[in-house]
Amino acid sequence: MGTRKRVCAFLFSNPGLYQHSIAKLRLINGVDYSSSRRQFSVVNGEAIRGKQTTEQLYKHVDGLSTGAEVTAVKDQLDPFSLVSDEISPLTDRLRSMVVTEVPKLASAAGYFFKKGVEGKRFRPTVLLLMATALNMPVSMPSVDRLSPTGVIDNLETELRRRQQCIAEITEMIHVASLLHDDVLDDADTRRGVSSLNSLMGNKLAVLAGNFLLSRAFVVLASLENDEIVSLIAEVVEHLITGETMQMTTTSEQRLNMQYYMEKTYYKTASLISNSCKAISLLTEQTAETSTLAYDYGKHLGIITAPLLFAIEEFPQLGEVLQRGFDNPADIDLALDYLGRSQGIQRAKDLALKHARLAVKAIDSLPENDDEDVRQSRQALVDLTKIVIKRTK
């Protein structure tokens, strides 16, 4: 998929990125696809311009909170900084896991684990924060309750290491899905660098993705937890189902919001939601707590499509979508329809709804006075704001 079409797909599947994406469109092939009359979005029926648009679209996001337990925490840190001391060694372990005797395969499998292209490790961050957010006292048989503190410390250390394994498994599955998606989409870039398939060919990219999946399941098997194995296996099935849905979608399905949301769950939200649940299962939480962890991940991973909302107001936009975006004039026309519609606002409202449901899940977790637990729960709340406000 060409750069211009990828930017359009990015714009039309993410709420609140209208202004930012327009700026990107200007630079593609040296063509300005956004005339001054299109430098606006609609908020509550009023056209607004420039930077002010983004600010007004998200003025309600900062009001997200989870009640007295979490909001009482002062001087919140950046969510990523709270687990940064774990992310670095976790990334090193990921690099070591993709080592193989075949140099070409090792280079391909480790392509997105190299420094500079590894990304922010968003999913491992979420999972490590969830692990701390669920940090309940380690349960021990009554006969061992008088055991030395060191025994409990060892149990907690082992639990944390197993939770880190879930984060590593999730990241390997995620990267494998990116490699496969880029092949299917014929993408030429990923994370600001050349895609693996464009450098080494489709066959090696597919094999590298398969290799990562196999390594992920080796680590998964080491946990010796049948419930978690079944859970993660289902995630991989969902990824395949979602990608197949995207490849085989009909014209009618492409414009159907329910179909879109189902596909999005399979391709995006299933991995993070079920991984959050796996983190909870390792701590032997109640079924209710595990469901709350799952709910947080599900709502965090759902992305809405302003274009589909806009089509409800301007059905003719559906015809533009059916033609694709090979013609620059169609891009200009689609942006015009989108800008004049309530699509951005409605998508933003739906995104806020999911953010609030994610926050509600955190707020519903069992009460805990531990400062680290409280900080991690607030960080999970803050991540919902980051997801909604993101510009890339």
Side-chain angles (χ1 to χ4, degrees):
M1 184 185 295
T3 301
R4 173 167 48 80
K5 292 181 72 174
R6 288 181 67 85
V7 170
C8 289
F10 177 73
L11 164 63
F12 294 138
S13 63
N14 292 272
L17 300 181
Y18 182 61
Q19 296 297 327
H20 179 75
S21 297
I22 282 178
K24 286 179 176 289
L25 286 169
R26 290 178 184 163
L27 304 178
I28 298 174
N29 298 330
V31 179
D32 185 353
Y33 292 115
S34 54
S35 64
S36 59
R37 69 186 176 88
R38 295 183 179 87
Q39 291 292 326
F40 66 87
S41 185
V42 179
V43 180
N44 296 328
E46 179 183 358
I48 305 174
R49 297 179 179 274
K51 183 179 179 182
Q52 182 185 10
T53 301
T54 302
E55 292 173 350
Q56 291 202 20
L57 283 175
Y58 298 118
K59 65 182 179 180
H60 299 299
V61 179
D62 290 328
L64 291 175
S65 63
T66 66
E69 178 188 357
V70 172
T71 54
V73 182
K74 297 181 179 179
D75 301 325
Q76 292 303 311
L77 300 175
D78 168 57
F80 295 93
S81 70
L82 289 178
V83 294
S84 60
D85 59 337
E86 290 183 86
I87 291 295
S88 180
L90 182 148
T91 301
D92 291 339
R93 288 194 296 272
L94 284 170
R95 295 190 184 106
S96 68
M97 289 178 192
V98 298
V99 172
T100 174
E101 295 179 356
V102 182
K104 199 78 170 180
L105 179 59
S107 177
Y111 184 65
F112 284 117
F113 294 115
K114 295 187 299 184
K115 291 182 179 180
V117 294
E118 69 269 42
K120 295 192 71 172
R121 295 286 180 253
F122 178 80
R123 287 157 190 80
T125 295
V126 170
L127 296 174
L128 293 176
L129 288 172
M130 181 62 73
T132 303
L134 299 177
N135 185 22
M136 310 300 176
V138 175
S139 60
M140 300 179 62
S142 58
V143 69
D144 292 329
R145 293 203 181 275
L146 297 180
S147 298
T149 303
V151 173
I152 298 178
D153 290 342
N154 288 337
L155 286 172
E156 291 178 342
T157 299
E158 175 60 19
L159 171 61
R160 190 67 176 194
R161 180 67 195 102
R162 289 164 67 82
Q163 291 171 327
Q164 290 170 350
C165 283
I166 295 294
E168 293 159 8
I169 291 164
T170 299
E171 189 69 357
M172 283 191 283
I173 292 175
H174 171 61
V175 173
S177 73
L178 297 184
L179 296 179
H180 288 163
D181 283 355
D182 284 348
V183 170
L184 294 171
D185 295 339
D186 195 25
D188 52 9
T189 61
R190 168 71 69 176
R191 293 178 176 174
V193 299
S194 297
S195 62
L196 181 63
N197 53 294
S198 69
L199 289 177
M200 298 186 176
N202 287 343
K203 291 182 179 179
L204 192 56
V206 170
L207 290 173
N210 293 346
F211 178 73
L212 288 176
L213 288 176
S214 68
R215 283 295 167 94
F217 274 90
V218 168
V219 179
L220 182 61
S222 71
L223 296 177
E224 299 182 343
N225 186 309
D226 292 343
E227 188 174 6
I228 292 178
V229 170
S230 297
L231 201 64
I232 301 303
E234 185 177 31
V235 166
V236 176
E237 178 184 338
H238 285 170
L239 288 170
I240 297 169
T241 300
E243 189 59 45
T244 303
M245 290 174 69
Q246 181 166 301
M247 290 174 56
T248 61
T249 181
T250 65
S251 297
E252 183 178 354
Q253 290 170 332
R254 191 175 295 119
L255 304 181
N256 183 284
M257 179 60 79
Q258 182 178 353
Y259 185 88
Y260 174 85
M261 296 298 283
E262 182 179 8
K263 181 199 69 176
T264 300
Y265 170 76
Y266 285 144
K267 283 180 62 68
T268 306
S270 177
L271 177 60
I272 190 66
S273 60
N274 284 295
S275 296
C276 284
K277 183 176 181 179
I279 290 290
S280 179
L281 291 175
L282 282 176
T283 63
E284 299 182 356
Q285 298 290 332
T286 64
E288 180 182 3
T289 297
S290 293
T291 297
L292 290 172
Y294 169 89
D295 286 345
Y296 172 82
K298 180 183 71 173
H299 292 296
L300 188 72
I302 290 291
I303 300 171
T304 58
L307 186 63
L308 297 184
F309 288 121
I311 288 172
E312 294 180 9
E313 294 179 58
F314 299 100
Q316 56 269 44
L317 178 55
E319 299 175 9
V320 178
L321 178 63
Q322 301 297 353
R323 294 196 295 266
F325 295 107
D326 291 322
N327 186 344
D330 279 341
I331 296 175
D332 207 28
L333 185 58
L335 290 173
D336 187 32
Y337 282 131
L338 182 60
R340 290 193 286 127
S341 76
Q342 288 288 325
I344 294 288
Q345 179 63 34
R346 291 178 64 190
K348 171 253 185 182
D349 289 341
L350 185 56
L352 281 174
K353 174 184 175 181
H354 284 291
R356 291 190 177 102
L357 288 171
V359 170
K360 181 179 178 181
I362 297 301
D363 193 32
S364 300
L365 292 173
E367 292 186 8
N368 194 305
D369 292 330
D370 183 86
E371 185 69 13
D372 290 338
V373 172
R374 289 154 63 87
Q375 273 199 334
S376 293
R377 292 183 181 183
Q378 181 62 49
L380 290 171
V381 170
D382 292 341
L383 281 175
T384 66
K385 304 175 188 179
I386 291 173
V387 168
I388 292 179
K389 290 183 175 181
R390 68 185 184 137
T391 57
K392 62 180 178 178

